[in-house]
Amino acid sequence: IMARRVEHPAGGYKKIFETVEELDEPVAAKISGTLPAWLSGSLLRMGPGLFEVGDEPFRHLFDGQALIHKFDLKEGHVTYHRKFIRTDAYVRAMTENRVVITELGTAAYPDPCKNIFSRFFTYFKGVEVTDNCMVNIYTIGEDFYAVTETNFITKVDPDSLETLKKVDLSKYLSVNGVTAHPHKDADGTVYNIGNCFGKNMSLAYNIVKIPPAQKDSLEPFEKARVVVQLPSSERLKPSYIHSFGMSDNYFVFVEPPVKINLIKFLSAWSIRGATYMDCFESNETLGTWFHLATKEPAEYLSNYKFRTSAFNIFHHINTYEDQGFMVVDLCTWKGHEFVYNYLYVANLRQEWEEVKKAAMKAPQPEVRRYVLPLDISSEDLGKNLVSLSYTTATAVLRRDGTIWLEPEVLFSGPRLAFEFPQINYSEYSGKMYHFTYGLGLNHFIPDRIMKLNVQTKETQEWREEECYPSEPLFVPTPGATDEDDGVLLSVVVKPGAGRPGFLLVLDAKTLSELGRAEVSVNIPVTLHGMFKP
């Protein structure tokens, strides 16, 4: 189905970028349709819930303070609950009624009551790194952690939503931060990637491994370690990383041209009002690099130099090996300009015509498949090395020893991004697969849920007037044999309705609605989350 354009003249999407209050206790939902009897558990979601403090706005979408949401499904009843995470960033902002810790795009100014000398020394000692964990929630061992992309993660109670404790990963691992999208083996081993300062101030990316829950009383972090280090293509400029790929035997790291200028980063804090966003820069000529490493034993394959033209990447869809090739499916944005430049709250809250105009300048989204040959011989100079029958992606060995990749485009719609991708992860992560589910961003506004068959390129979508869904999470039917036998769960906001927030349950095969659980509270945008059976 070709995606039809849809207009949002009423601007209901502005509601998903508005501050809400937390709830004292869960509220009961009104169920319509039929929720599957087997569907029992909690949908946990993270996102921003506080968009200003005092009279100071948080300027960027990823600056709003972390709010954890929970829909509980139990014996035919559904409740909704939410609480702000008591991070240092949140508690201190509440106490002082101002932004105290600098976020991605919002600067914290020193306390105006302090004199010039103490202000000067605050700057001198650098900046506090935020622990505002509003991006995702995942498990490590038996515990649940809300996370952002810094070195701080926050342990939460998935039942009461209480904040338990802040953990500094850099105490256990040589990383300055890790992504909000770890991978997990069937036994509960967690893998993630982060950047770090290597030997003699050079930069590198470390893939880290956190073992499953331990029999002894040690926390899994105590036994966490770096398994392999990948080099940075520019010595003092690490790329911005949001996710990575993992198959049965390999790690794939895609290094995009959006860089953090460390010199700027380290000096920025001496300039009044600098933010992380001020330290990003991008260079068209760098292109995008693909790095490969083996998993067991973990080793960087330094002789494989894969390159392609510049694109932004946030989310990997899936990565698998087939007949001597690595197939890497990605949600990309064409070109080198940083997509986050368009995600300031002021932009997203504009009238629809203005939102569209701004989005027209932003990089164009595309779902792409890249194929990396694992077996390369120097006789193959100038030839396409990809021999998989089902893809048009190519890989050509060049004289300088690099392998130039060209993708197959799996989905492209005018200013329509297929983003926040999900798959049947427990069965198909790292394996050949057919289906991915995603959120359709129409000029950055989430207005549909999509399903893409990566083998036929067919798409299906769910959409309803003035409805703004979130990332669809796939939950398999117990005992299912088909890859798409299950349901999709999405938190949807319908601002004009009497009950503006609801949990939507779709049949993952057809994207037809099975049922919904509506609550009479507005729910702001959520980014990522998980289903806890």
Side-chain angles (χ1 to χ4, degrees):
I1 313 159
M2 270 317 287
R4 303 181 301 287
R5 306 302 326 128
V6 65
E7 298 292 315
H8 296 286
Y13 51 82
K14 295 177 193 179
K15 269 291 198 223
I16 63 176
F17 309 116
E18 279 181 16
T19 293
V20 295
E21 308 221 310
E22 59 182 14
L23 298 171
D24 294 329
E25 52 198 42
V27 296
K30 174 180 176 272
I31 297 173
S32 51
T34 310
L35 307 186
W38 56 263
L39 186 62
S40 177
S42 306
L43 174 68
L44 299 165
R45 304 281 307 162
M46 292 304 307
L50 181 77
F51 291 92
E52 61 285 301
V53 53
D55 52 9
E56 294 182 27
F58 287 106
R59 299 187 184 282
H60 202 275
L61 176 60
F62 304 138
D63 297 347
Q65 297 298 292
L67 185 63
I68 181 169
H69 307 254
K70 175 171 68 122
F71 275 96
D72 264 334
L73 302 103
K74 203 155 132 204
E75 291 156 6
H77 297 284
V78 178
T79 58
Y80 169 68
H81 196 25
R82 67 180 176 219
K83 275 198 155 75
F84 282 104
I85 306 249
R86 273 29 182 196
T87 60
D88 289 349
Y90 175 81
V91 170
R92 290 170 59 188
M94 292 288 100
T95 310
E96 299 191 33
N97 201 29
R98 64 185 186 89
V99 179
V100 180
I101 297 179
T102 293
E103 300 289 352
L104 181 76
T106 306
Y109 295 102
D111 186 340
C113 306
K114 291 189 179 153
N115 68 32
I116 188 84
F117 288 107
S118 63
R119 286 219 305 254
F120 174 76
F121 283 113
T122 320
Y123 276 137
F124 206 65
K125 98 176 175 269
V127 73
E128 286 184 278
V129 174
T130 183
D131 60 346
N132 179 24
C133 48
M134 46 73 79
V135 182
N136 200 0
I137 179 165
Y138 57 78
T139 53
I140 296 175
E142 314 274 289
D143 299 322
F144 289 73
Y145 290 90
V147 302
T148 174
E149 303 185 310
T150 68
N151 50 306
F152 295 118
I153 63 176
T154 304
K155 185 171 162 181
V156 294
D157 180 327
D159 299 318
S160 68
L161 307 187
E162 295 296 328
T163 306
L164 301 175
K165 70 169 184 183
K166 170 171 166 175
V167 173
D168 180 355
L169 288 174
S170 63
K171 281 195 177 138
Y172 304 95
L173 291 159
S174 167
V175 285
N176 304 332
V178 293
T179 78
H181 296 285
H183 278 287
K184 211 167 223 188
D185 279 341
D187 69 355
T189 303
V190 173
Y191 294 92
N192 211 334
I193 187 168
N195 28 44
C196 70
F197 296 107
K199 297 188 185 76
N200 50 32
M201 258 309 278
S202 67
L203 253 162
Y205 307 96
N206 281 344
I207 291 179
V208 301
K209 177 178 181 175
I210 305 174
Q214 304 293 303
K215 297 270 183 287
D216 53 36
S217 59
L218 283 180
E219 293 218 32
F221 301 120
E222 310 272 353
K223 298 192 174 171
R225 60 192 177 87
V226 171
V227 286
V228 62
Q229 187 165 87
L230 314 173
S232 169
S233 58
E234 280 196 288
R235 190 163 157 247
L236 285 172
K237 295 178 185 174
S239 283
Y240 172 75
I241 31 179
H242 190 83
S243 65
F244 67 109
M246 185 173 91
S247 67
D248 286 345
N249 302 296
Y250 292 88
F251 299 113
V252 176
F253 166 49
V254 180
E255 188 182 23
V258 174
K259 303 283 183 180
I260 303 157
N261 182 329
L262 278 187
I263 304 299
K264 234 187 212 169
F265 188 77
L266 297 170
S267 60
W269 308 118
S270 59
I271 307 159
R272 184 174 165 79
T275 70
Y276 295 87
M277 282 295 290
D278 299 324
C279 303
F280 287 113
E281 59 181 50
S282 191
N283 180 340
E284 180 78 82
T285 56
L286 279 173
T288 297
W289 297 60
F290 284 67
H291 300 271
L292 270 183
T294 49
K295 216 168 143 184
E296 295 285 339
E299 188 189 350
Y300 176 56
L301 301 176
S302 55
N303 48 344
Y304 289 79
K305 295 190 166 46
F306 299 103
R307 297 198 57 183
T308 186
S309 47
F311 64 79
N312 279 241
I313 155 98
F314 303 101
H315 300 116
H316 281 249
I317 301 173
N318 200 8
T319 309
Y320 65 89
E321 302 153 43
D322 187 22
Q323 303 165 51
F325 296 93
M326 286 296 309
V327 179
V328 184
D329 291 352
L330 308 169
C331 295
T332 68
W333 297 77
K334 282 184 184 178
H336 68 291
E337 196 207 345
F338 198 24
V339 176
Y340 283 5
N341 294 344
Y342 294 87
L343 300 183
Y344 283 94
V345 179
N347 294 351
L348 298 169
R349 283 184 183 153
Q350 296 193 84
E351 295 305 325
W352 177 235
E353 288 308 314
E354 295 304 309
V355 168
K356 277 202 301 192
K357 233 180 260 171
M360 292 307 278
K361 296 190 199 117
Q364 168 67 23
E366 255 180 12
V367 178
R368 293 178 178 179
R369 166 166 289 177
Y370 286 91
V371 178
L372 287 55
L374 297 169
D375 184 22
I376 296 152
S377 109
S378 54
E379 285 94 83
D380 295 326
L381 201 63
K383 292 190 206 124
N384 171 26
L385 306 174
V386 180
S387 57
L388 292 177
S389 59
Y390 54 82
T391 181
T392 55
T394 60
V396 176
L397 179 62
R398 305 209 285 199
R399 283 199 185 288
D400 62 2
T402 59
I403 295 137
W404 185 264
L405 304 174
E406 286 294 342
E408 175 180 10
V409 176
L410 301 181
F411 175 81
S412 181
R415 304 296 152 189
L416 180 64
F418 179 100
E419 262 292 352
F420 296 89
Q422 291 288 325
I423 59 170
N424 179 344
Y425 189 90
S426 58
E427 295 297 321
Y428 289 88
S429 173
K431 314 239 180 320
M432 192 187 236
Y433 71 118
H434 286 82
F435 304 110
T436 175
Y437 312 93
L439 188 59
L441 302 180
N442 172 9
H443 297 79
F444 290 118
I445 301 300
D447 68 5
R448 67 197 75 188
I449 290 167
M450 301 177 70
K451 177 183 184 178
L452 170 65
N453 182 327
V454 296
Q455 302 199 9
T456 65
K457 303 187 190 177
E458 289 168 284
T459 59
Q460 293 159 270
E461 55 179 57
W462 174 91
R463 209 170 71 220
E464 190 175 298
E465 280 302 301
E466 290 297 309
C467 276
Y468 304 99
S470 68
E471 166 191 68
L473 287 178
F474 177 84
V475 184
T477 305
T481 49
D482 290 353
E483 180 184 338
D484 58 351
D485 184 354
V487 296
L488 297 179
L489 303 181
S490 175
V491 177
V492 184
V493 188
K494 191 168 187 173
R499 291 190 170 87
F502 61 95
L503 171 65
L504 175 68
V505 183
L506 299 179
D507 178 331
K509 273 190 195 286
T510 61
L511 257 53
S512 55
E513 180 173 337
L514 297 173
R516 59 179 68 181
E518 302 172 302
V519 289
S520 45
V521 287
N522 202 58
I523 301 175
V525 62
T526 61
L527 300 172
H528 299 289
M530 63 174 289
F531 183 71
K532 168 184 173 279

